[in-house]
Amino acid sequence: MTYDVLLKGGHVIDPKNGIDALVNVAIKDGKIAAVGADVHGEATKTLDVTGHYVTPGLIDIHLHAYQRFGGWLHPDQQCLPYGVTTCVDTGSSGWQHFEDFVNTIIARSTTRVLAFINIVGAGMAGACEQDVNEMVPEPCADMIKQYPEHAIGSKSAHFYGPGWEAAQGGIDAARLSDTITMVDFAPMPERSYEELLIERMAPGDIHTHLYASHIPLIDENKKINDYVWAAREKGVIFDTGHGGGSFWFRIAVPAMEQGFPPDTISTDLHTGSRMRPNATMVSTMDKYLAMGMPLNEVVYRSTQKPAEVIRRPELGQIGVGAEADVAVLEIEEGQYGLVDSGRARMSATQKTSCRVTLRAGQVVWDEYGLSCLPWEEAGDYKMLP
Ligand SMILES: [Zn+2]
């Protein structure tokens, strides 16, 4: 057997397939062909990844990749250098512009881009996000159903009126399209977080920004509220959505100490969160490592679990036959600092970087040229394979 790519000597962590060991990974025709310590043979490209971790391509279920939101970033540049091969845009577009989003960004990206469609018809475009007349479930649901390959549900966010039009509109659009909703919630005296979690959201629906300072996850004694535990018991999903304002160590640390991690690790990357809090996927994962989450669990909440949450269980794993989306990560030891959304710092002794990313078997990121020939041995080269 001649493979296209052979990753040799790495420590594979693939929670879905129960692998946490030094094994080789072989890729052929864009798919995983073999995984095991005894997998050897010829390959067009053999990468020595000794000393690295090899994981399924990471899944970031919260970022912004469309222009209706002025702070958007292109999915390839904000994903592939950080090991992310599947991302979910969270409501940058509403139903009115979703076709344009598909044609201009989704269809042209190397990253697999999925999307929650905003309950606001005009999407994340300023004043319209407060206009309840824009929050109509039926056209949102129709657009989700029209694009099952790309649209995975609805999104509500950034609504500061007193009513339930945004959150309940998103929930209704999800029920009408038999999908899920992601809620970015701002509690008001008229609408509580408890009512959202317990009375309105269904199992599988996602609350993003669980460690945000405006979310009453913990009470004044830093104890997780009972109704939050009840919501998790019921099947509500809690997502990180780091962002520029939604990840605070002063909430995350006591929550983690009480055994309340997020279901999913995600970035909410946009132009703001990319800068001072450096909310890339690997940096956000480092924050959980620094708070004591074991590495295999960090990988689980960045691969298998988000795949299940977005109802794409074939993703986030590298079993034989899976599309070969793979991240090669290096974790260095040293003295580092990690910055939260409130600009507070946590000391860390580990720093994760993505050295190689493969998407459908193609090397799409290779920071140190692990897949490349030394130039002195490459002869009179033009473009090398
Ligand atoms: Zn967001």
Side-chain angles (χ1 to χ4, degrees):
M1 176 68 137
T2 303
Y3 301 117
D4 297 330
V5 180
L6 185 59
L7 302 170
K8 282 181 73 168
H11 182 144
V12 173
I13 301 179
D14 177 9
K16 172 83 176 274
N17 293 295
I19 300 174
D20 190 342
L22 290 172
V23 290
N24 300 333
V25 177
I27 294 166
K28 176 86 176 162
D29 298 330
K31 302 236 185 313
I32 303 294
V35 180
D38 55 352
V39 172
H40 298 285
E42 291 292 305
T44 307
K45 283 178 188 292
T46 298
L47 282 68
D48 180 357
V49 292
T50 304
H52 294 71
Y53 290 97
V54 176
T55 72
L58 307 175
I59 301 178
D60 184 354
I61 67 164
H62 189 153
L63 54 66
H64 294 279
Y66 183 59
Q67 62 201 2
R68 293 296 291 173
F69 174 45
W72 74 297
L73 292 161
H74 193 281
D76 289 348
Q77 283 86 46
Q78 64 176 321
C79 290
L80 302 175
Y82 310 106
V84 175
T85 52
T86 297
C87 69
V88 184
D89 178 275
T90 52
S92 304
S93 164
W95 67 269
Q96 293 167 16
H97 303 88
F98 193 68
E99 206 156 21
D100 183 64
F101 183 22
V102 171
N103 293 333
T104 60
I105 304 289
I106 293 177
R108 298 181 186 203
S109 296
T110 298
T111 313
R112 181 188 293 100
V113 182
L114 305 172
F116 290 107
I117 299 182
N118 204 311
I119 187 59
V120 175
M124 281 174 66
C128 60
E129 290 188 88
Q130 307 308 320
D131 181 356
V132 296
N133 297 314
E134 285 276 339
M135 302 167 191
V136 188
E138 288 77 9
C140 180
D142 288 346
M143 192 58 72
I144 295 168
K145 286 193 281 190
Q146 195 178 324
Y147 286 94
E149 191 188 337
H150 308 303
I152 59 171
S154 66
K155 172 85 189 294
S156 61
H158 314 144
F159 179 57
Y160 305 109
W164 286 97
E165 291 88 347
Q168 188 62 50
I171 290 167
D172 291 345
R175 298 297 86 83
L176 287 169
S177 55
D178 192 24
T179 60
I180 53 174
T181 192
M182 176 183 271
V183 187
D184 164 357
F185 193 67
M188 295 286 160
E190 300 86 350
R191 53 179 160 92
S192 71
Y193 187 47
E194 179 173 4
E195 181 177 343
L196 174 75
L197 295 179
I198 300 301
E199 293 175 36
R200 295 183 180 257
M201 293 176 79
D205 287 340
I206 305 164
H207 174 244
T208 188
H209 305 317
L210 87 162
Y211 299 144
S213 59
H214 65 279
I215 293 299
L217 192 80
I218 56 177
D219 65 16
E220 60 279 7
N221 299 314
K222 298 193 177 294
K223 191 171 157 292
I224 302 274
N225 278 305
D226 289 343
Y227 64 81
V228 172
W229 286 111
R232 171 159 278 178
E233 182 72 20
K234 167 180 130 173
V236 169
I237 301 297
F238 292 87
D239 173 56
T240 303
H242 186 309
S246 299
F247 182 91
W248 298 66
F249 285 128
R250 66 176 170 80
I251 299 167
V253 169
M256 292 277 291
E257 284 171 356
Q258 291 168 73
F260 204 89
D263 290 286
T264 48
I265 296 172
S266 71
T267 64
D268 190 12
L269 268 179
H270 51 75
T271 51
S273 57
R274 178 65 190 85
M275 301 310 287
R276 283 197 68 177
N278 184 29
T280 65
M281 193 66 183
V282 287
S283 169
T284 305
M285 291 162 72
D286 280 343
K287 290 168 188 176
Y288 288 102
L289 285 176
M291 288 189 287
M293 187 183 283
L295 175 61
N296 58 5
E297 189 181 330
V298 170
V299 173
Y300 165 72
R301 297 185 191 285
S302 308
T303 56
Q304 179 188 353
K305 184 66 180 181
E308 291 169 356
V309 164
I310 63 172
R311 299 182 174 180
R312 301 288 173 108
E314 72 279 14
L315 304 177
Q317 53 99 18
I318 47 173
V320 171
E323 195 150 281
D325 295 350
V326 182
V328 177
L329 307 175
E330 184 169 14
I331 301 183
E332 294 167 296
E333 307 277 331
Q335 294 302 320
Y336 307 103
L338 297 162
V339 179
D340 75 4
S341 295
R343 297 180 180 170
R345 177 166 53 85
M346 173 178 277
S347 296
T349 57
Q350 294 179 305
K351 178 177 170 19
T352 304
S353 302
C354 179
R355 300 303 182 212
V356 180
T357 305
L358 294 109
R359 169 78 181 96
Q362 300 293 315
V363 174
V364 292
W365 170 257
D366 187 0
E367 188 172 21
Y368 293 162
L370 291 178
S371 71
C372 302
L373 279 177
W375 73 270
E376 302 93 327
E377 297 171 18
D380 188 17
Y381 58 92
K382 296 271 193 304
M383 187 63 81
L384 297 164

